[in-house]
Structures are given as C-alpha cells and as structure tokens.
Amino acid sequence: MTKITFPIIVVSLLSACGDSSEIPTANTPANPSTTINAFTIVGTSPASNNIIPINAGVNNGGFTTGWSVSSSEPYHVDLYLSNDNALGSDVRIFSQNCGSSSLIYNCSSVGQFNCQFTSSNKMSCGTLSAANTEKDLTSFLDTIPKQAFLILEACNALLENCKTSSVAIELQ
C-alpha cells in the first residue's frame, strides 16, 4: 500500500505547483530571439561605393559604431574585424553586455561607442580596460589600404540565439 500511495501523493503535489500554461513549449520560447534592427559605422570620412573609410591619419583614426537590437534583457554584443562578411576566425575588437539599467550597462537596446584605429595598427572601442584592450592588427593587415568588414554579433542573454550584421570598411 505504501509503494502505491507515495507516487500518488508526489504527483498530486507536483500538479498543485502551477498550471501547465507556464511551461515553455515550442510555440513560446523561454529565450527570446534576437534581431539586429540597425548596425552603422561612421568612418573618418564619407563612404565611397558603400565602403566606410577608417583612416588612422584623419581625426586620430576616430570612428563610431552604433546599433539597435531587439533581444532579451540583458543581451550581449561582439564586434569583429573580418576579411569577409561572414563570422569565422576573425579578430574580436569589442565585447559588451547591454541592458536597460544605466547603472550596470553602457548601452540599452541602442548602443553607440567611439572607436579608434591608430597608425601603430591598433584598434579599440569604448573605454580601455583589462577586459577591453586595444587589438593589434599587424598580422591581419597584409596591405594598407585594406578592404575588410566590421561584423556585429548580437546574442540573447543565454547566448543561444545570435544574429550578425556586417559593414564594409577600408582601413587606411
């Protein structure tokens, strides 16, 4: 009798914990999808043939990157420098967690950061720190000027749903 009673009690208690509509299904994902609504680069001079120039000798190589992302709260972005417009074995320039709390995060659903490309072939974005250092691009730069791509990867909080967007640039 005890062997049968215990499973019945456990099942009764578990079913009283909440209704099944709260359990995520294939139609209601527990982790929301990510959408990159916009990704922009403002270079050191106006674009030519849809390629954004980033020149180390103009405005100290200063340029800006910006985005608008719909995702979970918080979400994560990485900025990569690539030879093509697809994410692969690329140089990660910048990494940032974003969310609505300005006390915790430096960006919300919209982010904008100042970046720099130096004459010593280094690139950085945002405030430099131990976690966000200048990246040496010497091995990446086989020629100057060099056409490349900046790729934004945005992911939801669990890094399970990621999207990318790219912008053509020319490092000068």
Side-chain angles (χ1 to χ4, degrees):
M1 178 81 164
T2 307
K3 291 182 180 178
I4 296 173
T5 307
F6 182 71
I8 292 172
I9 292 171
V10 171
V11 169
S12 297
L13 289 173
L14 288 176
S15 65
C17 290
D19 76 33
S20 63
S21 66
E22 295 176 12
I23 299 171
T25 66
N27 295 332
T28 57
N31 211 0
S33 64
T34 301
T35 303
I36 299 174
N37 303 310
F39 173 46
T40 59
I41 302 293
V42 177
T44 53
S45 51
S48 175
N49 297 323
N50 293 322
I51 298 173
I52 310 292
I54 299 174
N55 189 322
V58 176
N59 298 325
N60 293 318
F63 65 100
T64 59
T65 183
W67 62 83
S68 170
V69 169
S70 300
S71 189
S72 61
E73 171 72 26
Y75 69 98
H76 182 81
V77 295
D78 287 309
L79 182 66
Y80 294 91
L81 181 63
S82 177
N83 284 310
D84 56 28
N85 64 353
L87 199 55
S89 299
D90 304 313
V91 180
R92 184 170 61 185
I93 302 297
F94 180 65
S95 188
Q96 187 73 43
N97 289 320
C98 299
S100 59
S101 173
S102 61
L103 296 174
I104 300 172
Y105 304 109
N106 294 321
C107 49
S108 59
S109 61
V110 175
Q112 182 171 329
F113 288 87
N114 292 325
C115 302
Q116 186 176 26
F117 173 55
T118 70
S119 58
S120 58
N121 297 333
K122 294 185 178 176
M123 187 178 282
S124 62
C125 292
T127 303
L128 294 179
S129 67
N132 183 37
T133 61
E134 277 186 315
K135 304 304 184 282
D136 188 345
L137 305 179
T138 303
S139 62
F140 179 83
L141 295 171
D142 48 12
T143 184
I144 291 280
K146 178 170 180 144
Q147 290 188 359
F149 291 85
L150 283 170
I151 299 175
L152 180 76
E153 179 182 47
C155 300
N156 61 8
L158 295 178
L159 306 176
E160 292 178 341
N161 186 284
C162 300
K163 299 294 189 294
T164 61
S165 182
S166 63
V167 173
I169 64 166
E170 183 174 85
L171 296 170
Q172 305 171 339

